Amino acid sequence: MHRKPKPSPAERTTAHKSSRNASAFPSKRLARRYWILLSLFLSGGLLCSLGLLLYNNPVPVQSPSFWPVVERRITAIVTMAIAALCQSLATVAFHSVTNNRIITPSLLGFDALYSTIQTSMIFFFGAGALIGFSGTGAFLTQVGLMLVMSLLLYGWLLSGKYADLQLMLLIGIILGTGLNSLASFMRRMLDPSEFDILQARLFGSVTNADAAYFPIVIPVVLIVSILLFLSANRLNVIALGKDVATSFGVNHRRSVIYVLILISLLMSMSTALIGPLTFFGFLVATLSYQVASTYDHKYVLPMAFSIGFLVLTSAYFFMYHIFNAPSVVSVIIELFGGLIFLTVLLRKRSL
């Protein structure tokens, strides 16, 4: 009987090296699939942006009023890009530091605080005060309040003797619930006309954004996004859990606080700019995990942004120009995000 000769040590070493795969993707086919999908999503987002700019423009191209109309639409597209960048990167990073892909950064009370600030303005000072509560000063006030609340939460619950990430999330949920209850109580006391004015502020929409905020928002969001992307390798280790991260030499508590501060900056900028988007980040992050087929944040973060930008631009293009129902865009996005959230929750059967 012919026996197959045993491989030599040199052959075993070569075979062992060839079987090891240090790439972020399990195979070359998945890596190729990632780049193709990323290109398609980015191209789709840019195509929808072009449609938003040029399609159904009521002014002829030859008219001098054509470009002013396009410039106003550019403001909406820039706002969509900012919202997609903030929500997608913040949610993916939040999932990694909490080691949980179901909860969202909104649990820390950003949406509830924004709702309470807006409701308090109209409850105590009237509709005129809420309408007048705009401009750079009002924007910075809201961002500052949200940052102070989050920094107090992190500083108190993550750097003290009883530092515990789960306890911080629980306190965040309790604070958010309390603020929402307070805002709901004040809304019940409003006149119907004041309630209508308030509701327009409480739905996340790109029409809430003011281009005057861009010189503040764009540099901050770009710098924070770059810092978060440069922390991709650290996020890869943190996502493995506290014990594993510590064994790799990573200061887990300091790294978590650093990433949470970056998340707070992104979420506060996005919420103060366009209003609360509770499930949009969750929707985008969940889709990116399914499509990216890798754990590496260097690839997950760009994929999340490309999906978020495509979702926003396509939703606004179809609702504005095809179905003529621009006011329901955020409702539909939140509805789909909520349905995916319930689906994931029922499949995992736990938080």
Side-chain angles (χ1 to χ4, degrees):
M1 181 177 178
H2 178 70
R3 292 184 176 180
K4 185 177 179 180
K6 293 183 178 180
S8 64
E11 290 173 337
R12 286 200 299 269
T13 303
T14 304
H16 181 63
K17 286 182 178 178
S18 61
S19 63
R20 288 190 303 176
N21 186 7
S23 172
F25 297 96
S27 65
K28 291 183 179 179
R29 183 181 66 82
L30 290 177
R32 189 164 54 249
R33 173 175 172 269
Y34 169 88
W35 290 111
I36 292 173
L37 289 176
L38 182 66
S39 303
L40 287 176
F41 292 148
L42 288 175
S43 302
L46 293 175
L47 191 62
C48 291
S49 302
L50 192 63
L52 284 169
L53 285 178
L54 302 177
Y55 184 76
N56 202 20
N57 193 326
V59 182
V61 179
Q62 299 81 6
S63 172
S65 302
F66 178 81
W67 288 110
V69 174
V70 172
E71 288 175 0
R72 284 198 295 272
R73 295 184 177 187
I74 288 176
T75 301
I77 293 173
V78 172
T79 305
M80 292 177 203
I82 293 172
L85 194 61
C86 292
Q87 295 280 337
S88 58
L89 267 61
T91 306
V92 170
F94 191 74
H95 286 172
S96 299
V97 297
T98 57
N99 203 15
N100 190 318
R101 290 187 171 183
I102 292 181
I103 57 180
T104 69
S106 299
L107 288 177
L108 296 178
F110 293 103
D111 296 355
L113 183 59
Y114 175 84
S115 174
T116 305
I117 292 171
Q118 301 291 326
T119 308
S120 301
M121 286 299 299
I122 197 168
F123 181 79
F124 290 109
F125 306 108
L130 180 64
I131 295 172
F133 188 61
S134 59
T136 307
F139 176 79
L140 290 176
T141 301
Q142 295 178 82
V143 172
L145 286 174
M146 285 185 267
L147 279 177
V148 167
M149 186 191 73
S150 58
L151 292 177
L152 286 176
L153 203 61
Y154 305 154
W156 174 39
L157 293 172
L158 287 180
S159 61
K161 181 178 179 182
Y162 303 101
D164 188 348
L165 184 61
Q166 305 303 321
L167 180 63
M168 186 203 71
L169 293 175
L170 179 62
I171 298 293
I173 293 172
I174 294 172
L175 284 177
T177 305
L179 290 173
N180 275 327
S181 300
L182 178 62
S184 299
F185 171 75
M186 289 189 287
R187 281 197 293 271
R188 289 176 184 275
M189 309 290 287
L190 297 176
D191 295 333
S193 58
E194 292 177 333
F195 185 80
D196 287 342
I197 296 172
L198 177 64
Q199 284 301 104
R201 290 284 189 96
L202 297 185
F203 279 105
S205 173
V206 296
T207 57
N208 294 336
D210 189 341
Y213 305 153
F214 288 169
I216 301 171
V217 175
I218 292 176
V220 173
V221 170
L222 285 179
I223 291 172
V224 173
S225 301
I226 291 171
L227 290 176
L228 209 51
F229 185 77
L230 294 176
S231 305
N233 290 332
R234 187 186 303 183
L235 285 171
N236 292 339
V237 179
I238 293 174
L240 297 175
K242 181 179 180 180
D243 295 336
V244 177
T246 304
S247 67
F248 276 105
V250 174
N251 188 325
H252 185 266
R253 183 186 301 178
R254 186 183 303 170
S255 301
V256 167
I257 292 176
Y258 172 71
V259 175
L260 285 175
I261 290 173
L262 297 182
I263 292 171
S264 301
L265 281 167
L266 292 177
M267 289 302 296
S268 58
M269 287 288 170
S270 171
T271 305
L273 184 66
I274 65 170
L277 290 172
T278 306
F279 290 112
F280 173 66
F282 175 81
L283 168 69
V284 170
T286 303
L287 292 176
S288 66
Y289 298 143
Q290 302 299 321
V291 172
S293 300
T294 178
Y295 64 90
D296 197 333
H297 288 77
K298 286 197 299 287
Y299 300 97
V300 176
L301 293 175
M303 180 62 78
F305 166 70
S306 66
I307 293 176
F309 187 60
L310 175 61
V311 168
L312 280 181
T313 53
S314 59
Y316 273 93
F317 176 75
F318 282 104
M319 288 300 155
Y320 265 83
H321 298 305
I322 307 299
F323 299 108
N324 196 24
S327 59
V328 300
V329 173
S330 61
V331 178
I332 291 176
I333 290 175
E334 295 293 274
L335 175 63
F336 275 102
L339 289 176
I340 290 180
F341 174 79
L342 289 176
T343 304
V344 173
L345 185 64
L346 291 174
R347 288 181 61 184
K348 294 177 73 71
R349 296 181 182 276
S350 68
L351 286 173

